[in-house]
Amino acid sequence: MNTASDSPYRQFLTYFVPLALQAIAQSLTYPLVTMVASRGPGGPLNIAGLAQSMSVMVVLLTLGSGLITTGMVFGKTREGFARCVRINNGIILCMAAIYGVLMLPPVSHFLFGTMLGLPPLIEKPATVTFIASLPLMVLFMLRNPYQIVMFNSNATGLAFGATLVRILLTLILSPLFCALNAVGPIWAVVCLTLPVAVEVMISRAFALPFMGRIEKGSKRPPDYVEIIVFSLTLSVGGLFLAISGFMMGAFIARAPDPEHMLPVFYLVLGIVGPVAFGAMRLQVLILTYYGQSARMNRQLFRFSTVVGIVMGVLPLGLLLPGLIDWYYVTLQKLDPGDLPLVRGTAWMLVLFPFTVALRAYSEGKAAWFRKPVTVLTGQAVYLAIVAVVAFFALNIGMPGNLLGALAILFANLAAAGIVLFSLHWEHRGDLPVPPMEIEK
């Protein structure tokens, strides 16, 4: 048995914790800049417009959501990494072109005013913040190669360090912008963008030493087409997941008492979601350590399940007496009468990070085997199960807060199950083959 000093679980923990903290911390920047947006002309309407423009930008970013996983698979050699960087830059140009079209006044009015149905007082800040967010989107994409190198080099602590600087800088700039009266939706975007630019520069400085150590491959580098298809297949799956979020809100809005259920569900999800997003980074851990031995593969699965359970319990801390009133009533201005709904929703979501951990394990394993279509299948199943479970739950009269929680729990389990089943089916080798009878 391994000692504590050389235990694989300690290696996993050392690698994973910075990744999880990075994912959780990134969700803190947006609430920090809402104070900048809300203090401009328009007040809270600016926050609604900023939220809508950020949602559209996130959907566009899904076009590159598979690039980090792709880089971890194909970018371990100098030639493979160089091709991943060129593809990343090419996707940036494509995304910028799409963004440019969406910025045109007739198109942006159709997007925000007609498709999303925003009233004029919200459509205006949504349009201007969307235009101002183009550099932010490009910066997020430019960060990808440096993250790939640090993840492949087991330097997840440095990657988290760069993100931590961004969080701290946003924390400083938000009240500073307010003190200088640099307020409103555009200044809020500036307050988001400047720290990300600093994060990219720090990430580059951290990654450069590792980039110089990437060795030449002994085999022919992967084809551009193979890398692009792999990345875009994963990205389409990311788009499915983004769509499911919009779909969930639509079902809850049609359930009884949506004025109470929607705020409760999204407030609780605002706490549980970042933790689950942290659990999703298990995918990177699996890509790094899977395949070294059969024993380590089993240890990775056990580690993933335990991490999912532990991370699911953490958000329950806000249900403690005093804390629940402070956060949900004092800070979030929720009606105290809705606190029982908060408790029910939080307990319903206690297994959410666990199911996300299982999906992250399955998708990481599939990516390691270079099976992006299997990952895409799982994410398509996720979208379908969200729709099916939410539809039936709605029709039997389930409350909206529980409807949303039940749908994403079943969707994650189904997605993980179909991916693991597909991998098992493709790699089965011990099935008896009946002898063929040859007719005489």
Side-chain angles (χ1 to χ4, degrees):
M1 181 147 180
N2 292 338
T3 63
S5 61
D6 61 358
S7 167
Y9 295 111
R10 174 167 291 194
Q11 295 178 43
F12 300 160
L13 205 60
T14 303
Y15 186 93
F16 171 72
V17 168
L19 284 174
L21 290 175
Q22 182 191 37
I24 294 170
Q26 287 183 135
S27 64
L28 300 176
T29 56
Y30 176 75
L32 290 175
V33 303
T34 54
M35 68 173 73
V36 178
S38 63
R39 281 165 171 76
L45 296 177
N46 292 334
I47 300 177
L50 179 64
Q52 292 294 334
S53 66
M54 290 293 108
S55 298
V56 175
M57 188 189 73
V58 167
V59 171
L60 282 175
L61 279 170
T62 59
L63 294 174
S65 62
L67 285 167
I68 290 181
T69 301
T70 301
M72 292 191 68
V73 173
F74 294 100
K76 294 182 178 180
T77 64
R78 189 177 303 175
E79 300 85 355
F81 178 72
R83 294 191 174 196
C84 288
V85 172
R86 294 187 194 107
I87 290 171
N88 185 70
N89 293 339
I91 292 178
I92 290 176
L93 293 175
C94 293
M95 292 170 64
I98 297 172
Y99 211 102
V101 172
L102 294 177
M103 286 165 52
L104 297 173
V107 181
S108 63
H109 174 67
F110 175 77
L111 174 64
F112 292 107
T114 305
M115 281 188 63
L116 296 179
L118 301 182
L121 290 177
I122 298 179
E123 180 187 348
K124 182 178 179 181
T127 302
V128 297
T129 53
F130 181 72
I131 294 171
S133 298
L134 176 57
L136 180 63
M137 185 193 72
V138 172
L139 285 168
F140 277 130
M141 294 294 294
L142 289 175
R143 189 185 58 171
N144 285 340
Y146 310 128
Q147 299 247 320
I148 290 168
V149 170
M150 288 188 281
F151 292 169
N152 277 339
S153 303
N154 284 19
T156 55
L158 293 177
F160 170 61
T163 301
L164 184 60
V165 171
R166 168 162 59 110
I167 306 298
L168 295 175
L169 189 56
T170 309
L171 186 63
I172 294 170
L173 289 179
S174 297
L176 180 62
F177 275 38
C178 293
L180 296 175
N181 202 34
V183 292
I186 295 180
W187 282 111
V189 174
V190 174
C191 192
L192 274 174
T193 305
L194 290 178
V196 175
V198 173
E199 182 190 14
V200 172
M201 290 188 288
I202 295 174
S203 297
R204 183 178 185 275
F206 286 162
L208 278 177
F210 299 109
M211 292 170 70
R213 298 175 202 161
I214 301 177
E215 298 179 354
K216 283 189 174 184
S218 57
K219 300 179 181 178
R220 185 177 65 85
D223 296 330
Y224 281 104
V225 173
E226 182 183 2
I227 299 175
I228 292 172
V229 169
F230 188 96
S231 177
L232 291 181
T233 303
L234 295 178
S235 297
V236 170
L239 182 61
F240 286 166
L241 299 182
I243 292 172
S244 69
F246 290 104
M247 185 188 301
M248 187 72 63
F251 276 106
I252 298 175
R254 286 163 175 77
D257 202 12
E259 294 82 4
H260 291 272
M261 298 305 176
L262 273 170
V264 165
F265 178 74
Y266 281 113
L267 278 175
V268 177
L269 193 64
I271 298 297
V272 183
V275 177
F277 186 43
M280 195 65 205
R281 304 311 287 271
L282 284 164
Q283 183 186 91
V284 177
L285 175 77
I286 305 304
L287 278 170
T288 301
Y289 287 100
Y290 194 85
Q292 297 186 20
S293 68
R295 183 184 182 191
M296 183 166 282
N297 292 347
R298 293 191 296 270
Q299 290 170 329
L300 282 168
F301 179 75
R302 287 195 289 267
F303 180 82
S304 299
T305 56
V306 171
V307 163
I309 293 171
V310 171
M311 295 184 80
V313 173
L314 293 178
L316 295 179
L318 276 180
L319 297 185
L320 294 174
L323 285 179
I324 187 171
D325 294 279
W326 170 76
Y327 179 76
Y328 288 102
V329 178
T330 305
L331 286 186
Q332 301 294 348
K333 308 301 180 185
L334 192 70
D335 186 339
D338 288 337
L339 289 182
L341 295 175
V342 167
R343 293 187 182 93
T345 307
W347 279 105
M348 190 72 175
L349 286 171
V350 71
L351 291 179
F352 179 42
F354 170 70
T355 61
V356 170
L358 291 181
R359 183 163 66 85
Y361 170 83
S362 67
E363 292 181 2
K365 183 177 176 181
W368 188 87
F369 279 111
R370 299 193 180 186
K371 300 289 184 181
V373 175
T374 302
V375 177
L376 176 62
T377 301
Q379 292 170 337
V381 167
Y382 178 96
L383 180 63
I385 294 299
V386 164
V388 170
V389 172
F391 174 79
F392 281 104
L394 180 66
N395 279 275
I396 64 173
M398 180 175 287
N401 61 323
L402 303 184
L403 176 155
L406 188 70
I408 57 180
L409 287 177
F410 275 101
N412 277 310
L413 288 175
I418 197 68
V419 171
L420 292 175
F421 175 78
S422 299
L423 291 175
H424 175 75
W425 183 258
E426 287 186 36
H427 295 93
R428 71 197 189 284
D430 55 351
L431 296 180
V433 179
M436 295 179 62
E437 293 186 4
I438 303 176
E439 293 184 4
K440 295 182 181 180

